[in-house]
Amino acid sequence: MDKKPLHNNRTKKPTNKGMKNAGFIAILVLVALVVLAASNQPSQLKSIPITEAVQQSNKGAYSKIEVQNNELKITKKGEAKPTLKSYLEPNATMKDEGFDYSKVTIDPKAQNNGQSGWVAIATTIVPVVLIGGLLYFMLRSAQGQGNQAMSFGKSKARLYGNEKDKVEFKDVAGQAEAKQDLEEVVEFLKFPKKFSSVGARIPKGVLLVGPPGTGKTLLSRAVAGEANVPFFSISGSEFVEMFVGVGASRVRDLFAKAKKNAPCIIFIDEIDAVGRRRGSGMGGGHDEREQTLNQILVEMDGFEKGENVIVLAATNRADVLDPALLRPGRFDRRVGIGLPDRQDRAAILKVHFEKKPLAKEVDIDSLAAKTAGSSGADLANIANESAIIAARNNHSQIAQSDVTEAFERVAIGPERKNKIMNEKEKEITAYHEAGHAIVGHVLPDSDPVHKVTIIPRGGTGGVTWFLPPEDRSYTSIIEFKDILARALGGRIAEEVIFGKERVTTGAGNDLQKAAEIARDMVINQGMGTKLRDQVFHVDEGIMMERIMHEREYSDETAKVIDDEVETLITEAADRARAVIKANLKKIEELKDKLLENETVEADEVIKIFEGTVMPKSAALY
Ligand code: ADP
Ligand code: MG
Ligand code: ZN
């Protein structure tokens, strides 16, 4: 079969080219300015970690620190000019980092030092003007309905297919089943005759369904890369714009262009943005959306025999899609894409660490084991954060410690080492976390403790981590109950140690999580006591309609559900209380260790907890 060379697919409208040139020149000017600004910087400073800077500064080793945004220029005592630099953590102030203001002169207003006036003006004003100009052009092309020259801009579809950003199946780790399904699509595109000669109808639409970040977009591009055909990509949300009638005409335009370039792939990302069930009458502007969706249906029906265009679409909400989209002849194939299992996670991590300098000691497999529930995008993020952290620590290779920090940062947010907590709060937090840890440790069906820390992270005062020893897909009632009890362990420890009325807001988030789990058990999983094996789940797709008409269950049932939730929570609190009261000595021990070291790792927790007691009253069986 002959294939048209790709560059023929590009439109050759002169104005379009002119636009491109203008953009190109704008970028050149920007680059020149950046280079100019960079060359204007004072001579090279040695970069040191922020923790070292704080330590040295508080020892009195520095005379002056200039602060510019989050960059510190440090002048040592006895020297005239800055010789060191360091960086504040994002959003942290000098105080947060722990600088002692009495030991050093801090000069916060050293902006633009050493920059001549016109460079400062050029580097601030010119980009603003350029960006403004570009925006103006973009707006004009978006509105340029009647404008002949802008016809390519009409459907904002992007065309991939040039060699340098080509994606192939080998770039997608794991997902063996999805790949297998999609390989068939590749065959359709490559050898259409083989199928039509035996009378097979080539599917027009393939719907990729899976949680966010699992590689749906990546896989679609890989299909195009494997089949070596052009790939028109558009996101559902781009259809839905302010101007009435634009969505439908964009669809028409997109399909017309695709037909001209057949064989090819049209990829509609986030199709739920336009493909939601019609006629619910809620959510403003649905008229526009319905027209767009109708146009998609019309176009897909309008494909003629032998027109070799396949429409791939991706969504993480297949349940809200309009049934008309899923009828035969439209998106009648569905490829499910799930969260990666342990092996796949290791493979994805390897793909993303491949091009980075990784120390030999780094244990990818144990990282894969710890990241149950993460999507491919999360894992890619961990790999990238590892590299950033390694660079900030001035490591030439990514070390195990960098990877561990990256994992924790992605999982619960960065450490806030210098957020001020007074001694009393530290003590409360230590008891609180020790409470979570002991309940989780003692109850037989809870996951093992991984780490306990009273260093604030993200929005929390401290963290107790539990890690499942292996991936699992199902959770039993006894496991849920242990999870509930350990979630309440923090609050109950405060209660037992300090008294009923002295518990703090430190447990706010725990209680919310516990309530969510308990409701889920009762409503969705049929795990209540009275309401065992009944499910009251409302499909969110039709939720909108339901809200207006009726609920799935009666008011009496709603009351019973509330009672069930309360029973579960009370039981969990009682069990946590029993465990904590039976092991007060151990809690004291862990609390002391936490106050001393702030973080206690799994092996040490286990050592401290040797000889804990499982009280009878906390046992479920
Ligand atoms: P989705 O479209 O499902 O939300 P994406 O395809 O945009 O997810 O994936 C986001 C990023 O996550 C990708 O660019 C890639 O870096 C990474 N990723 C996800 N899944 C995989 C995988 N199976 N193999 C390699 N990288 C992956
Ligand atoms: Mg996507
Ligand atoms: Zn807690």
mmCIF file with all atom_site columns, all heavy atoms in Angstrom, residues 119-142:
data_model
loop_
_atom_site.group_PDB
_atom_site.id
_atom_site.type_symbol
_atom_site.label_atom_id
_atom_site.label_alt_id
_atom_site.label_comp_id
_atom_site.label_asym_id
_atom_site.label_entity_id
_atom_site.label_seq_id
_atom_site.pdbx_PDB_ins_code
_atom_site.Cartn_x
_atom_site.Cartn_y
_atom_site.Cartn_z
_atom_site.occupancy
_atom_site.B_iso_or_equiv
_atom_site.pdbx_formal_charge
_atom_site.auth_seq_id
_atom_site.auth_comp_id
_atom_site.auth_asym_id
_atom_site.auth_atom_id
_atom_site.pdbx_PDB_model_num
ATOM 1   N N   . VAL A 1 119 ? 18.285  46.286 30.418 1.00 0.00 ? 119 VAL A N   1
ATOM 2   C CA  . VAL A 1 119 ? 18.089  44.837 30.360 1.00 0.00 ? 119 VAL A CA  1
ATOM 3   C C   . VAL A 1 119 ? 16.894  44.449 31.226 1.00 0.00 ? 119 VAL A C   1
ATOM 4   O O   . VAL A 1 119 ? 16.044  43.658 30.845 1.00 0.00 ? 119 VAL A O   1
ATOM 5   C CB  . VAL A 1 119 ? 19.348  44.085 30.831 1.00 0.00 ? 119 VAL A CB  1
ATOM 6   C CG1 . VAL A 1 119 ? 19.072  42.600 30.919 1.00 0.00 ? 119 VAL A CG1 1
ATOM 7   C CG2 . VAL A 1 119 ? 20.500  44.361 29.892 1.00 0.00 ? 119 VAL A CG2 1
ATOM 8   N N   . ALA A 1 120 ? 16.838  45.113 32.395 1.00 0.00 ? 120 ALA A N   1
ATOM 9   C CA  . ALA A 1 120 ? 15.724  44.826 33.297 1.00 0.00 ? 120 ALA A CA  1
ATOM 10  C C   . ALA A 1 120 ? 14.404  45.132 32.604 1.00 0.00 ? 120 ALA A C   1
ATOM 11  O O   . ALA A 1 120 ? 13.467  44.339 32.650 1.00 0.00 ? 120 ALA A O   1
ATOM 12  C CB  . ALA A 1 120 ? 15.847  45.662 34.559 1.00 0.00 ? 120 ALA A CB  1
ATOM 13  N N   . ILE A 1 121 ? 14.358  46.283 31.938 1.00 0.00 ? 121 ILE A N   1
ATOM 14  C CA  . ILE A 1 121 ? 13.121  46.657 31.252 1.00 0.00 ? 121 ILE A CA  1
ATOM 15  C C   . ILE A 1 121 ? 12.820  45.668 30.134 1.00 0.00 ? 121 ILE A C   1
ATOM 16  O O   . ILE A 1 121 ? 11.711  45.149 30.017 1.00 0.00 ? 121 ILE A O   1
ATOM 17  C CB  . ILE A 1 121 ? 13.234  48.093 30.688 1.00 0.00 ? 121 ILE A CB  1
ATOM 18  C CG1 . ILE A 1 121 ? 13.273  49.072 31.857 1.00 0.00 ? 121 ILE A CG1 1
ATOM 19  C CG2 . ILE A 1 121 ? 12.064  48.405 29.767 1.00 0.00 ? 121 ILE A CG2 1
ATOM 20  C CD1 . ILE A 1 121 ? 13.562  50.487 31.444 1.00 0.00 ? 121 ILE A CD1 1
ATOM 21  N N   . ALA A 1 122 ? 13.859  45.365 29.363 1.00 0.00 ? 122 ALA A N   1
ATOM 22  C CA  . ALA A 1 122 ? 13.651  44.469 28.218 1.00 0.00 ? 122 ALA A CA  1
ATOM 23  C C   . ALA A 1 122 ? 13.162  43.112 28.683 1.00 0.00 ? 122 ALA A C   1
ATOM 24  O O   . ALA A 1 122 ? 12.226  42.547 28.115 1.00 0.00 ? 122 ALA A O   1
ATOM 25  C CB  . ALA A 1 122 ? 14.946  44.330 27.429 1.00 0.00 ? 122 ALA A CB  1
ATOM 26  N N   . THR A 1 123 ? 13.791  42.583 29.757 1.00 0.00 ? 123 THR A N   1
ATOM 27  C CA  . THR A 1 123 ? 13.409  41.234 30.164 1.00 0.00 ? 123 THR A CA  1
ATOM 28  C C   . THR A 1 123 ? 12.046  41.195 30.826 1.00 0.00 ? 123 THR A C   1
ATOM 29  O O   . THR A 1 123 ? 11.467  40.142 30.969 1.00 0.00 ? 123 THR A O   1
ATOM 30  C CB  . THR A 1 123 ? 14.446  40.617 31.126 1.00 0.00 ? 123 THR A CB  1
ATOM 31  O OG1 . THR A 1 123 ? 14.716  41.567 32.139 1.00 0.00 ? 123 THR A OG1 1
ATOM 32  C CG2 . THR A 1 123 ? 15.704  40.219 30.410 1.00 0.00 ? 123 THR A CG2 1
ATOM 33  N N   . THR A 1 124 ? 11.530  42.331 31.275 1.00 0.00 ? 124 THR A N   1
ATOM 34  C CA  . THR A 1 124 ? 10.191  42.275 31.851 1.00 0.00 ? 124 THR A CA  1
ATOM 35  C C   . THR A 1 124 ? 9.113   42.689 30.863 1.00 0.00 ? 124 THR A C   1
ATOM 36  O O   . THR A 1 124 ? 8.092   42.022 30.754 1.00 0.00 ? 124 THR A O   1
ATOM 37  C CB  . THR A 1 124 ? 10.079  43.150 33.116 1.00 0.00 ? 124 THR A CB  1
ATOM 38  O OG1 . THR A 1 124 ? 10.605  44.425 32.806 1.00 0.00 ? 124 THR A OG1 1
ATOM 39  C CG2 . THR A 1 124 ? 10.805  42.551 34.277 1.00 0.00 ? 124 THR A CG2 1
ATOM 40  N N   . ILE A 1 125 ? 9.338   43.773 30.137 1.00 0.00 ? 125 ILE A N   1
ATOM 41  C CA  . ILE A 1 125 ? 8.248   44.292 29.302 1.00 0.00 ? 125 ILE A CA  1
ATOM 42  C C   . ILE A 1 125 ? 8.098   43.530 27.995 1.00 0.00 ? 125 ILE A C   1
ATOM 43  O O   . ILE A 1 125 ? 6.983   43.169 27.607 1.00 0.00 ? 125 ILE A O   1
ATOM 44  C CB  . ILE A 1 125 ? 8.464   45.794 29.017 1.00 0.00 ? 125 ILE A CB  1
ATOM 45  C CG1 . ILE A 1 125 ? 8.302   46.551 30.328 1.00 0.00 ? 125 ILE A CG1 1
ATOM 46  C CG2 . ILE A 1 125 ? 7.458   46.301 27.994 1.00 0.00 ? 125 ILE A CG2 1
ATOM 47  C CD1 . ILE A 1 125 ? 8.353   48.022 30.200 1.00 0.00 ? 125 ILE A CD1 1
ATOM 48  N N   . VAL A 1 126 ? 9.229   43.250 27.349 1.00 0.00 ? 126 VAL A N   1
ATOM 49  C CA  . VAL A 1 126 ? 9.129   42.639 26.022 1.00 0.00 ? 126 VAL A CA  1
ATOM 50  C C   . VAL A 1 126 ? 8.358   41.320 26.035 1.00 0.00 ? 126 VAL A C   1
ATOM 51  O O   . VAL A 1 126 ? 7.466   41.124 25.216 1.00 0.00 ? 126 VAL A O   1
ATOM 52  C CB  . VAL A 1 126 ? 10.528  42.488 25.383 1.00 0.00 ? 126 VAL A CB  1
ATOM 53  C CG1 . VAL A 1 126 ? 10.430  41.746 24.071 1.00 0.00 ? 126 VAL A CG1 1
ATOM 54  C CG2 . VAL A 1 126 ? 11.130  43.866 25.163 1.00 0.00 ? 126 VAL A CG2 1
ATOM 55  N N   . PRO A 1 127 ? 8.642   40.392 26.974 1.00 0.00 ? 127 PRO A N   1
ATOM 56  C CA  . PRO A 1 127 ? 7.855   39.142 26.965 1.00 0.00 ? 127 PRO A CA  1
ATOM 57  C C   . PRO A 1 127 ? 6.371   39.400 27.125 1.00 0.00 ? 127 PRO A C   1
ATOM 58  O O   . PRO A 1 127 ? 5.552   38.761 26.484 1.00 0.00 ? 127 PRO A O   1
ATOM 59  C CB  . PRO A 1 127 ? 8.403   38.380 28.168 1.00 0.00 ? 127 PRO A CB  1
ATOM 60  C CG  . PRO A 1 127 ? 9.738   38.949 28.413 1.00 0.00 ? 127 PRO A CG  1
ATOM 61  C CD  . PRO A 1 127 ? 9.687   40.372 27.989 1.00 0.00 ? 127 PRO A CD  1
ATOM 62  N N   . VAL A 1 128 ? 6.030   40.388 27.981 1.00 0.00 ? 128 VAL A N   1
ATOM 63  C CA  . VAL A 1 128 ? 4.611   40.684 28.194 1.00 0.00 ? 128 VAL A CA  1
ATOM 64  C C   . VAL A 1 128 ? 3.979   41.098 26.874 1.00 0.00 ? 128 VAL A C   1
ATOM 65  O O   . VAL A 1 128 ? 2.921   40.603 26.479 1.00 0.00 ? 128 VAL A O   1
ATOM 66  C CB  . VAL A 1 128 ? 4.445   41.798 29.248 1.00 0.00 ? 128 VAL A CB  1
ATOM 67  C CG1 . VAL A 1 128 ? 2.992   42.250 29.305 1.00 0.00 ? 128 VAL A CG1 1
ATOM 68  C CG2 . VAL A 1 128 ? 4.907   41.300 30.605 1.00 0.00 ? 128 VAL A CG2 1
ATOM 69  N N   . VAL A 1 129 ? 4.669   41.994 26.151 1.00 0.00 ? 129 VAL A N   1
ATOM 70  C CA  . VAL A 1 129 ? 4.144   42.454 24.870 1.00 0.00 ? 129 VAL A CA  1
ATOM 71  C C   . VAL A 1 129 ? 4.021   41.279 23.905 1.00 0.00 ? 129 VAL A C   1
ATOM 72  O O   . VAL A 1 129 ? 3.001   41.097 23.238 1.00 0.00 ? 129 VAL A O   1
ATOM 73  C CB  . VAL A 1 129 ? 5.066   43.539 24.274 1.00 0.00 ? 129 VAL A CB  1
ATOM 74  C CG1 . VAL A 1 129 ? 4.625   43.883 22.861 1.00 0.00 ? 129 VAL A CG1 1
ATOM 75  C CG2 . VAL A 1 129 ? 5.035   44.767 25.162 1.00 0.00 ? 129 VAL A CG2 1
ATOM 76  N N   . LEU A 1 130 ? 5.068   40.436 23.864 1.00 0.00 ? 130 LEU A N   1
ATOM 77  C CA  . LEU A 1 130 ? 5.056   39.300 22.937 1.00 0.00 ? 130 LEU A CA  1
ATOM 78  C C   . LEU A 1 130 ? 3.911   38.346 23.245 1.00 0.00 ? 130 LEU A C   1
ATOM 79  O O   . LEU A 1 130 ? 3.169   37.930 22.357 1.00 0.00 ? 130 LEU A O   1
ATOM 80  C CB  . LEU A 1 130 ? 6.372   38.533 23.034 1.00 0.00 ? 130 LEU A CB  1
ATOM 81  C CG  . LEU A 1 130 ? 7.515   39.141 22.240 1.00 0.00 ? 130 LEU A CG  1
ATOM 82  C CD1 . LEU A 1 130 ? 8.794   38.375 22.497 1.00 0.00 ? 130 LEU A CD1 1
ATOM 83  C CD2 . LEU A 1 130 ? 7.186   39.122 20.752 1.00 0.00 ? 130 LEU A CD2 1
ATOM 84  N N   . ILE A 1 131 ? 3.780   38.048 24.538 1.00 0.00 ? 131 ILE A N   1
ATOM 85  C CA  . ILE A 1 131 ? 2.732   37.104 24.923 1.00 0.00 ? 131 ILE A CA  1
ATOM 86  C C   . ILE A 1 131 ? 1.368   37.683 24.606 1.00 0.00 ? 131 ILE A C   1
ATOM 87  O O   . ILE A 1 131 ? 0.480   37.017 24.067 1.00 0.00 ? 131 ILE A O   1
ATOM 88  C CB  . ILE A 1 131 ? 2.852   36.741 26.418 1.00 0.00 ? 131 ILE A CB  1
ATOM 89  C CG1 . ILE A 1 131 ? 4.098   35.881 26.607 1.00 0.00 ? 131 ILE A CG1 1
ATOM 90  C CG2 . ILE A 1 131 ? 1.624   35.988 26.902 1.00 0.00 ? 131 ILE A CG2 1
ATOM 91  C CD1 . ILE A 1 131 ? 4.518   35.694 28.030 1.00 0.00 ? 131 ILE A CD1 1
ATOM 92  N N   . GLY A 1 132 ? 1.210   38.988 24.896 1.00 0.00 ? 132 GLY A N   1
ATOM 93  C CA  . GLY A 1 132 ? -0.047  39.661 24.567 1.00 0.00 ? 132 GLY A CA  1
ATOM 94  C C   . GLY A 1 132 ? -0.345  39.530 23.081 1.00 0.00 ? 132 GLY A C   1
ATOM 95  O O   . GLY A 1 132 ? -1.459  39.185 22.676 1.00 0.00 ? 132 GLY A O   1
ATOM 96  N N   . GLY A 1 133 ? 0.669   39.757 22.272 1.00 0.00 ? 133 GLY A N   1
ATOM 97  C CA  . GLY A 1 133 ? 0.492   39.677 20.818 1.00 0.00 ? 133 GLY A CA  1
ATOM 98  C C   . GLY A 1 133 ? 0.071   38.284 20.392 1.00 0.00 ? 133 GLY A C   1
ATOM 99  O O   . GLY A 1 133 ? -0.872  38.101 19.610 1.00 0.00 ? 133 GLY A O   1
ATOM 100 N N   . LEU A 1 134 ? 0.761   37.287 20.953 1.00 0.00 ? 134 LEU A N   1
ATOM 101 C CA  . LEU A 1 134 ? 0.434   35.907 20.591 1.00 0.00 ? 134 LEU A CA  1
ATOM 102 C C   . LEU A 1 134 ? -0.998  35.569 20.977 1.00 0.00 ? 134 LEU A C   1
ATOM 103 O O   . LEU A 1 134 ? -1.743  34.961 20.221 1.00 0.00 ? 134 LEU A O   1
ATOM 104 C CB  . LEU A 1 134 ? 1.394   34.935 21.282 1.00 0.00 ? 134 LEU A CB  1
ATOM 105 C CG  . LEU A 1 134 ? 2.747   34.797 20.597 1.00 0.00 ? 134 LEU A CG  1
ATOM 106 C CD1 . LEU A 1 134 ? 3.639   33.845 21.378 1.00 0.00 ? 134 LEU A CD1 1
ATOM 107 C CD2 . LEU A 1 134 ? 2.575   34.265 19.172 1.00 0.00 ? 134 LEU A CD2 1
ATOM 108 N N   . LEU A 1 135 ? -1.374  36.013 22.203 1.00 0.00 ? 135 LEU A N   1
ATOM 109 C CA  . LEU A 1 135 ? -2.736  35.752 22.662 1.00 0.00 ? 135 LEU A CA  1
ATOM 110 C C   . LEU A 1 135 ? -3.745  36.350 21.691 1.00 0.00 ? 135 LEU A C   1
ATOM 111 O O   . LEU A 1 135 ? -4.736  35.721 21.324 1.00 0.00 ? 135 LEU A O   1
ATOM 112 C CB  . LEU A 1 135 ? -2.943  36.386 24.043 1.00 0.00 ? 135 LEU A CB  1
ATOM 113 C CG  . LEU A 1 135 ? -2.642  35.475 25.228 1.00 0.00 ? 135 LEU A CG  1
ATOM 114 C CD1 . LEU A 1 135 ? -2.875  36.226 26.525 1.00 0.00 ? 135 LEU A CD1 1
ATOM 115 C CD2 . LEU A 1 135 ? -3.554  34.243 25.168 1.00 0.00 ? 135 LEU A CD2 1
ATOM 116 N N   . TYR A 1 136 ? -3.447  37.582 21.268 1.00 0.00 ? 136 TYR A N   1
ATOM 117 C CA  . TYR A 1 136 ? -4.341  38.268 20.350 1.00 0.00 ? 136 TYR A CA  1
ATOM 118 C C   . TYR A 1 136 ? -4.509  37.443 19.081 1.00 0.00 ? 136 TYR A C   1
ATOM 119 O O   . TYR A 1 136 ? -5.612  37.211 18.604 1.00 0.00 ? 136 TYR A O   1
ATOM 120 C CB  . TYR A 1 136 ? -3.758  39.646 20.043 1.00 0.00 ? 136 TYR A CB  1
ATOM 121 C CG  . TYR A 1 136 ? -4.486  40.395 18.961 1.00 0.00 ? 136 TYR A CG  1
ATOM 122 C CD1 . TYR A 1 136 ? -5.737  40.961 19.212 1.00 0.00 ? 136 TYR A CD1 1
ATOM 123 C CD2 . TYR A 1 136 ? -3.935  40.533 17.698 1.00 0.00 ? 136 TYR A CD2 1
ATOM 124 C CE1 . TYR A 1 136 ? -6.396  41.644 18.216 1.00 0.00 ? 136 TYR A CE1 1
ATOM 125 C CE2 . TYR A 1 136 ? -4.593  41.215 16.696 1.00 0.00 ? 136 TYR A CE2 1
ATOM 126 C CZ  . TYR A 1 136 ? -5.833  41.775 16.961 1.00 0.00 ? 136 TYR A CZ  1
ATOM 127 O OH  . TYR A 1 136 ? -6.489  42.433 15.975 1.00 0.00 ? 136 TYR A OH  1
ATOM 128 N N   . PHE A 1 137 ? -3.378  36.934 18.575 1.00 0.00 ? 137 PHE A N   1
ATOM 129 C CA  . PHE A 1 137 ? -3.439  36.123 17.358 1.00 0.00 ? 137 PHE A CA  1
ATOM 130 C C   . PHE A 1 137 ? -4.263  34.865 17.563 1.00 0.00 ? 137 PHE A C   1
ATOM 131 O O   . PHE A 1 137 ? -5.078  34.484 16.733 1.00 0.00 ? 137 PHE A O   1
ATOM 132 C CB  . PHE A 1 137 ? -2.016  35.710 16.928 1.00 0.00 ? 137 PHE A CB  1
ATOM 133 C CG  . PHE A 1 137 ? -1.451  36.628 15.885 1.00 0.00 ? 137 PHE A CG  1
ATOM 134 C CD1 . PHE A 1 137 ? -0.541  37.600 16.232 1.00 0.00 ? 137 PHE A CD1 1
ATOM 135 C CD2 . PHE A 1 137 ? -1.850  36.517 14.560 1.00 0.00 ? 137 PHE A CD2 1
ATOM 136 C CE1 . PHE A 1 137 ? -0.040  38.464 15.281 1.00 0.00 ? 137 PHE A CE1 1
ATOM 137 C CE2 . PHE A 1 137 ? -1.345  37.367 13.612 1.00 0.00 ? 137 PHE A CE2 1
ATOM 138 C CZ  . PHE A 1 137 ? -0.432  38.352 13.962 1.00 0.00 ? 137 PHE A CZ  1
ATOM 139 N N   . MET A 1 138 ? -4.033  34.247 18.731 1.00 0.00 ? 138 MET A N   1
ATOM 140 C CA  . MET A 1 138 ? -4.744  32.988 18.999 1.00 0.00 ? 138 MET A CA  1
ATOM 141 C C   . MET A 1 138 ? -6.236  33.232 19.103 1.00 0.00 ? 138 MET A C   1
ATOM 142 O O   . MET A 1 138 ? -7.032  32.496 18.550 1.00 0.00 ? 138 MET A O   1
ATOM 143 C CB  . MET A 1 138 ? -4.219  32.352 20.277 1.00 0.00 ? 138 MET A CB  1
ATOM 144 C CG  . MET A 1 138 ? -2.901  31.661 20.048 1.00 0.00 ? 138 MET A CG  1
ATOM 145 S SD  . MET A 1 138 ? -2.532  30.526 21.318 1.00 0.00 ? 138 MET A SD  1
ATOM 146 C CE  . MET A 1 138 ? -1.808  31.369 22.525 1.00 0.00 ? 138 MET A CE  1
ATOM 147 N N   . LEU A 1 139 ? -6.609  34.301 19.812 1.00 0.00 ? 139 LEU A N   1
ATOM 148 C CA  . LEU A 1 139 ? -8.033  34.612 19.945 1.00 0.00 ? 139 LEU A CA  1
ATOM 149 C C   . LEU A 1 139 ? -8.635  34.845 18.575 1.00 0.00 ? 139 LEU A C   1
ATOM 150 O O   . LEU A 1 139 ? -9.712  34.371 18.249 1.00 0.00 ? 139 LEU A O   1
ATOM 151 C CB  . LEU A 1 139 ? -8.219  35.866 20.806 1.00 0.00 ? 139 LEU A CB  1
ATOM 152 C CG  . LEU A 1 139 ? -8.198  35.599 22.300 1.00 0.00 ? 139 LEU A CG  1
ATOM 153 C CD1 . LEU A 1 139 ? -8.354  36.900 23.067 1.00 0.00 ? 139 LEU A CD1 1
ATOM 154 C CD2 . LEU A 1 139 ? -9.335  34.634 22.668 1.00 0.00 ? 139 LEU A CD2 1
ATOM 155 N N   . ARG A 1 140 ? -7.895  35.575 17.753 1.00 0.00 ? 140 ARG A N   1
ATOM 156 C CA  . ARG A 1 140 ? -8.421  35.878 16.429 1.00 0.00 ? 140 ARG A CA  1
ATOM 157 C C   . ARG A 1 140 ? -8.628  34.604 15.627 1.00 0.00 ? 140 ARG A C   1
ATOM 158 O O   . ARG A 1 140 ? -9.615  34.446 14.927 1.00 0.00 ? 140 ARG A O   1
ATOM 159 C CB  . ARG A 1 140 ? -7.468  36.806 15.678 1.00 0.00 ? 140 ARG A CB  1
ATOM 160 C CG  . ARG A 1 140 ? -7.947  38.230 15.790 1.00 0.00 ? 140 ARG A CG  1
ATOM 161 C CD  . ARG A 1 140 ? -7.317  39.119 14.793 1.00 0.00 ? 140 ARG A CD  1
ATOM 162 N NE  . ARG A 1 140 ? -6.997  38.459 13.528 1.00 0.00 ? 140 ARG A NE  1
ATOM 163 C CZ  . ARG A 1 140 ? -6.468  39.091 12.514 1.00 0.00 ? 140 ARG A CZ  1
ATOM 164 N NH1 . ARG A 1 140 ? -6.204  40.362 12.597 1.00 0.00 ? 140 ARG A NH1 1
ATOM 165 N NH2 . ARG A 1 140 ? -6.192  38.448 11.410 1.00 0.00 ? 140 ARG A NH2 1
ATOM 166 N N   . SER A 1 141 ? -7.681  33.677 15.759 1.00 0.00 ? 141 SER A N   1
ATOM 167 C CA  . SER A 1 141 ? -7.835  32.466 14.951 1.00 0.00 ? 141 SER A CA  1
ATOM 168 C C   . SER A 1 141 ? -8.960  31.589 15.500 1.00 0.00 ? 141 SER A C   1
ATOM 169 O O   . SER A 1 141 ? -9.587  30.849 14.763 1.00 0.00 ? 141 SER A O   1
ATOM 170 C CB  . SER A 1 141 ? -6.521  31.696 14.881 1.00 0.00 ? 141 SER A CB  1
ATOM 171 O OG  . SER A 1 141 ? -6.234  31.145 16.123 1.00 0.00 ? 141 SER A OG  1
ATOM 172 N N   . ALA A 1 142 ? -9.204  31.706 16.826 1.00 0.00 ? 142 ALA A N   1
ATOM 173 C CA  . ALA A 1 142 ? -10.313 30.922 17.374 1.00 0.00 ? 142 ALA A CA  1
ATOM 174 C C   . ALA A 1 142 ? -11.644 31.472 16.903 1.00 0.00 ? 142 ALA A C   1
ATOM 175 O O   . ALA A 1 142 ? -12.607 30.744 16.674 1.00 0.00 ? 142 ALA A O   1
ATOM 176 C CB  . ALA A 1 142 ? -10.262 30.942 18.898 1.00 0.00 ? 142 ALA A CB  1
#
